[in-house]
Amino acid sequence: MAIARKKAGAGTDTAPRRVSILGATGSVGRNTLDLISRQSDAYKVVALTAQRNVDLLAAQARQFNAELAVIGDEAHFGALKDALSGSGVEAAAGTEALCEAAQRPSDWVMAGIVGAAGLGPTLAAIRQGVIVALANKECLVCAGELVLEEVRRSGAKLLPVDSEHNAIYQVFDFDRPKTVDRIILTASGGPFLNMDVTAMAQVTPAQALAHPNWDMGDKISIDSATMMNKGLESIEAYHLFPVGADQIEILIHPQSVVHSLVAYVDGSVLAQLGAPDMRTPIAHTLAWPDRIATPTERLDLSRIGSLDFEAPDPMRFPSLRLTREALQAGGTAPTILNAANEIAVAAFLSERLGFLEIARVVEETLNKLAVTSVTELAAVTAADDEARAVARELAGLPPRHDGRLSLVQG
Ligand code: NDP
């Protein structure tokens, strides 16, 4: 984890912290703006981005008096300009404009775009050398080493937003990493924790989207149901924390109250707890290194009574094995896994692929493609492109070039 240089975390006692939100219209983005709306004097909104949701983006830009609003899909530029007419908010569109939004001078950027599409804008934010609150786990999964290299080069401060990683970040002794025995990522287990495989084969997108504890975007909700999310998180944790792959454990905890734990060599185990509400980890990054009050439910353990834990079942959730193998293989293996998963999840959501087929498509894509080393972004882009094409074929989708990474070279 990079040491923050003075610039990262800027914002003085008197000046509001200048913040930009990539993926402002999503679940993470909306939660971030909810917190900002409660402390509006402390923050100045610089740039907001979305992909297609013009109406919400324009409403947010007006409400928060943003300097810039960017819509990723250029087909919606006209609608955005019209919606912002007379507001004084600058409008722009396209993947390059997303990166420009990320590079608008600011003190803090929320990387809240979903999928590998967030890699380019997240890298652009990191190159500013400011605080980057990282929700977009896929960018670490598909290009972890390169992202961390940019963090070191720029002096940016990367703060994990994912509740598990944020929890670990809060209790990990970065000054004495050798005293850490292992980190334990908790997982709710999703909506199908206790369902047998035969029934799982029949589940619909609506059932899979109904997460028992968290209200999140569609892609991460499906990833939670397959437990691919936990696998992606273990790769994310490998990059964020100075531990080996064999020091990362996954523990099912259906109540999502203990957000994760760090076990030390002396037998001590430190955990961070809280109600399952993303506004707590987001607030931790938004105010860092300070803390701000949030409206999240106060944790009342006496009311909860008991907390449950169990080991995950890799037979019913093969994504856990696939992500572990991809992490061990290294190079472009996690990039391929991530791209194939994005295609398979989209196919499942549009009811063109069964639930259990998601892991099958990911595994077969990994089996078909050669893993290469990742020394530059071009290798990531190539692996991502190739994996998407193969996964589409395996999922029975017509060939199409979609979801290309919007990489910005340094
Ligand atoms: P959502 O689907 O709710 O929101 C995604 C955001 O990204 C929207 O603003 C969307 O715009 C924008 N977007 C979608 N596709 C593109 C693209 N190709 N290029 C640029 N922008 C795009 O996702 P979440 O908020 O749930 O998740 C965001 C990230 O945070 C994910 O990586 C997820 O894994 C991670 N995360 C989320 C948590 C949560 O509670 N939701 C918890 C922990 C991590 P539009 O609305 O116009 O489509």
Side-chain angles (χ1 to χ4, degrees):
M1 185 69 55
I3 305 297
R5 72 180 192 206
K6 205 160 181 202
K7 188 173 157 202
T12 62
D13 287 347
T14 48
R17 180 170 270 187
R18 289 172 58 82
V19 301
S20 291
I21 301 163
L22 313 175
T25 51
S27 162
V28 167
R30 283 180 276 117
N31 274 320
T32 308
L33 285 169
D34 175 82
L35 290 168
I36 290 171
S37 72
R38 295 165 195 273
Q39 313 256 343
S40 52
D41 290 349
Y43 302 100
K44 164 78 188 102
V45 174
V46 177
L48 299 176
T49 81
Q51 181 64 2
R52 291 193 189 89
N53 193 344
V54 167
D55 292 347
L56 182 55
L57 177 65
Q60 291 173 334
R62 282 179 179 274
Q63 181 188 346
F64 290 91
N65 197 18
E67 293 175 13
L68 170 68
V70 175
I71 194 84
D73 186 338
E74 294 183 38
H76 297 282
F77 184 42
L80 181 64
K81 271 199 301 193
D82 289 349
L84 289 175
S85 161
S87 66
V89 181
E90 191 185 332
T95 47
E96 274 183 29
L98 290 173
C99 294
E100 280 161 27
Q103 280 175 323
R104 267 290 156 110
S106 60
D107 305 311
W108 187 95
V109 181
M110 168 57 78
I113 291 174
V114 63
L119 177 57
T122 302
L123 280 173
I126 288 170
R127 289 186 183 121
Q128 275 206 61
V130 296
I131 301 174
V132 177
L134 187 77
N136 177 240
K137 70 192 79 183
E138 293 91 347
C139 76
L140 272 188
V141 171
C142 72
E145 273 91 16
L146 298 179
V147 169
L148 293 184
E149 208 174 288
E150 273 316 326
V151 170
R152 284 189 286 272
R153 193 178 303 159
S154 67
K157 181 75 178 169
L158 207 54
L159 296 176
V161 170
D162 231 328
S163 59
E164 296 79 359
H165 305 73
N166 185 270
I168 293 170
Y169 186 84
Q170 294 194 46
V171 293
F172 195 101
D173 189 344
F174 288 98
D175 293 329
R176 282 166 287 272
K178 286 196 164 36
T179 63
V180 172
D181 179 48
R182 65 198 195 284
I183 59 179
I184 302 157
L185 296 171
T186 52
S188 70
F192 310 133
L193 176 60
N194 298 312
M195 190 180 269
D196 69 46
V197 178
T198 325
M200 267 181 173
Q202 307 301 327
V203 300
T204 63
Q207 287 173 295
L209 286 171
H211 195 281
N213 305 338
W214 299 97
D215 183 11
M216 308 181 288
D218 288 359
K219 195 259 178 185
I220 185 174
S221 297
I222 302 304
D223 283 348
S224 298
T226 59
M227 288 197 67
M228 177 62 82
N229 184 49
K230 212 46 57 180
L232 298 177
E233 284 180 9
S234 56
I235 300 178
E236 182 186 11
Y238 172 78
H239 290 298
L240 284 173
F241 306 110
V243 293
D246 57 349
Q247 289 175 284
I248 302 169
E249 271 183 28
I250 293 170
L251 177 68
I252 302 286
H253 167 45
Q255 293 93 350
S256 301
V257 165
V258 178
H259 295 307
S260 277
L261 312 92
V262 177
Y264 287 88
V265 288
D266 63 0
S268 300
V269 180
L270 304 191
Q272 184 259 2
L273 286 71
D277 186 326
M278 280 305 292
R279 288 177 297 181
T280 294
I282 293 171
H284 175 258
T285 69
L286 185 61
W288 183 91
D290 205 348
R291 288 191 190 258
I292 49 172
T294 71
T296 59
E297 192 186 323
R298 303 294 97 167
L299 187 61
D300 181 353
L301 287 172
S302 65
R303 187 180 55 77
I304 293 170
S306 63
L307 296 173
D308 302 311
F309 302 94
E310 62 184 89
D313 178 357
M315 296 306 286
R316 285 186 307 120
F317 296 100
S319 299
L320 295 173
R321 171 179 57 79
L322 294 174
T323 43
R324 198 178 52 247
E325 288 171 359
L327 179 56
Q328 277 158 0
T332 52
T335 319
I336 295 167
L337 171 131
N338 179 69
N341 182 56
E342 288 190 22
I343 293 293
V345 168
F348 170 69
L349 281 168
S350 57
E351 300 189 26
R352 288 175 292 176
L353 195 70
F355 183 73
L356 295 180
E357 297 293 287
I358 297 174
R360 195 243 334 144
V361 166
V362 173
E363 180 154 27
E364 289 184 16
T365 306
L366 280 161
N367 289 343
K368 269 181 179 265
L369 294 177
V371 171
T372 59
S373 62
V374 175
T375 48
E376 51 184 24
L377 284 173
V380 174
T381 318
D384 181 90
D385 274 356
E386 201 179 12
R388 280 171 203 269
V390 170
R392 287 188 74 83
E393 201 183 328
L394 289 167
L397 304 176
R400 208 181 79 195
H401 200 71
D402 69 348
R404 263 200 75 104
L405 303 187
S406 52
L407 302 179
V408 175
Q409 303 296 338

